């Protein structure tokens, strides 16, 4: 069974940092393009960024609001995706979802999400 | 940035009746490889989103065949042939052709 499980969400002060993890199982993680999507309270979905699989260069792309502050990385040996978030702002408050792309799209499977709250 | 515009934003439906959601993009979603990366997602209340339709018209594994997608270029449609109670939720179109990838505002489907 394909599973992606996010963790690491927390309450953090503006300007602070946080690392989210997404543990994957049930599929060949190294073959997947992985994406982070967030959803602010009562709001719609917002693309955060993605990382391609190593065979496709392992490159990353980011949304403008997070570029330069957030970093996406992956450890294929641990089948884990990461989101390093620095210089957090109140507008980064959201549920952060991890998505696995296994061939149909980049959004084939979603995790349950992890809540990040940025507040003083 | 590609803007995705969904209509309507609220869709009152009747059980057993059809429903339709439109999605328009501000630019063509045809990729250089010839594919159109337009997806439809469903988010039931209190749940994470899930993939329904990818590349305009392909149903994802396990998605009931009452869901169908169509369209080309900049205009796309999601249809539910006969609405069931479990279809209540918010539906999003999104494009993965251009970076940044972008989502529509969401259409709330309610009975």
């Amino acid at each position: 069974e394909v599973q992606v499980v996010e963790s690491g969400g927390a309450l953090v002060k503006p300007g602070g940092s946080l690392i989210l993890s997404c543990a994957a199982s049930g599929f060949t993680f190294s073959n997947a393009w992985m994406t982070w999507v967030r959803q602010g309270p009562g709001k719609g979905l917002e693309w955060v960024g993605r990382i391609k699989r190593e065979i496709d260069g392992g490159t990353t792309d980011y949304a403008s609001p997070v570029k330069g502050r957030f970093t996406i990385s992956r450890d294929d040996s641990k089948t884990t995706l990461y989101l390093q978030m620095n210089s957090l702002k109140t507008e980064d408050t959201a549920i952060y979802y991890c998505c696995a792309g296994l061939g149909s799209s980049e959004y084939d499977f979603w995790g349950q999400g992890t809540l990040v709250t940025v507040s003083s | 940035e590609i803007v995705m515009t969904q209509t309507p934003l609220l869709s009152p439906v009747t059980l057993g009746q059809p429903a339709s959601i439109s999605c328009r993009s501000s630019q063509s979603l045809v990729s250089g490889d010839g594919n159109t990366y337009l997806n439809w997602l469903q988010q039931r209340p209190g749940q994470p989103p899930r993939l329904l339709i990818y590349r305009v018209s392909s149903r994802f594994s396990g998605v009931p065949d009452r869901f169908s997608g169509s369209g080309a270029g900049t205009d796309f449609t999601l249809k539910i042939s006969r609405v069931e109670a479990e279809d209540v939720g918010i539906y999003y179109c999104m494009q993965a052709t251009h970076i940044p990838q972008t989502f529509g505002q969401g259409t709330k489907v309610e009975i």
Side-chain angles (χ1 to χ4, degrees), chain A residues 39 44-45 47 50 97 103-108 110-112, chain B residues 39 41 43 48-49 51 54-55 60 92 94 99-101 103:
Chain A
Q39 187 168 35
L45 302 172
W47 184 76
R50 72 165 180 203
Y97 295 104
S104 295
S105 78
E106 295 177 48
Y107 300 89
D108 294 352
W110 293 64
Q112 291 294 313
Chain B
N39 304 320
L41 308 168
Q43 187 173 30
L51 179 66
Y54 62 97
R55 270 181 263 159
F60 188 60
Y92 296 92
M94 61 89 47
I99 296 297
Q101 298 183 13
F103 293 83

Side-chain angles (χ1 to χ4, degrees), chain B residues 29-43:
Chain B
L29 299 185
V30 179
S31 176
D33 62 9
N35 290 310
T36 299
Y37 297 100
L38 184 284
N39 304 320
W40 288 96
L41 308 168
Q42 176 197 59
Q43 187 173 30

Side-chain angles (χ1 to χ4, degrees), chain B residues 21-78:
Chain B
I21 300 169
S22 294
C23 175
R24 176 166 290 177
S25 60
S26 58
Q27 293 181 36
S28 172
L29 299 185
V30 179
S31 176
D33 62 9
N35 290 310
T36 299
Y37 297 100
L38 184 284
N39 304 320
W40 288 96
L41 308 168
Q42 176 197 59
Q43 187 173 30
R44 291 171 171 152
Q47 295 294 313
R50 69 159 176 152
L51 179 66
L52 290 180
I53 303 287
Y54 62 97
R55 270 181 263 159
V56 181
S57 59
S58 296
R59 257 188 314 275
F60 188 60
S61 174
V63 174
D65 61 7
R66 64 179 180 274
F67 291 95
S68 64
S70 63
T74 61
D75 288 284
F76 307 93
T77 303
L78 175 71

Side-chain angles (χ1 to χ4, degrees), chain A residues 23-103:
Chain A
S25 60
F27 63 97
T28 305
F29 182 78
S30 59
N31 281 346
W33 288 29
M34 300 297 295
T35 300
W36 287 99
V37 173
R38 68 184 181 183
Q39 187 168 35
K43 296 187 177 179
L45 302 172
E46 181 184 17
W47 184 76
V48 173
R50 72 165 180 203
I51 185 166
K52 298 180 182 179
R53 57 184 184 174
E54 287 299 325
I55 196 172
D56 293 320
T59 55
T60 51
D61 294 290
Y62 298 94
S64 296
V66 308
K67 195 175 294 185
R69 298 189 299 123
F70 289 12
T71 301
I72 297 173
S73 61
R74 62 190 298 161
D75 186 333
D76 289 349
S77 67
K78 295 182 178 179
T79 67
T80 301
L81 175 73
Y82 301 99
L83 180 64
Q84 169 77 53
M85 302 186 292
N86 298 329
S87 304
L88 282 161
K89 305 176 181 180
T90 55
E91 52 264 41
D92 295 320
T93 294
I95 297 172
Y96 284 73
Y97 295 104
C98 163
C99 310
L102 303 184

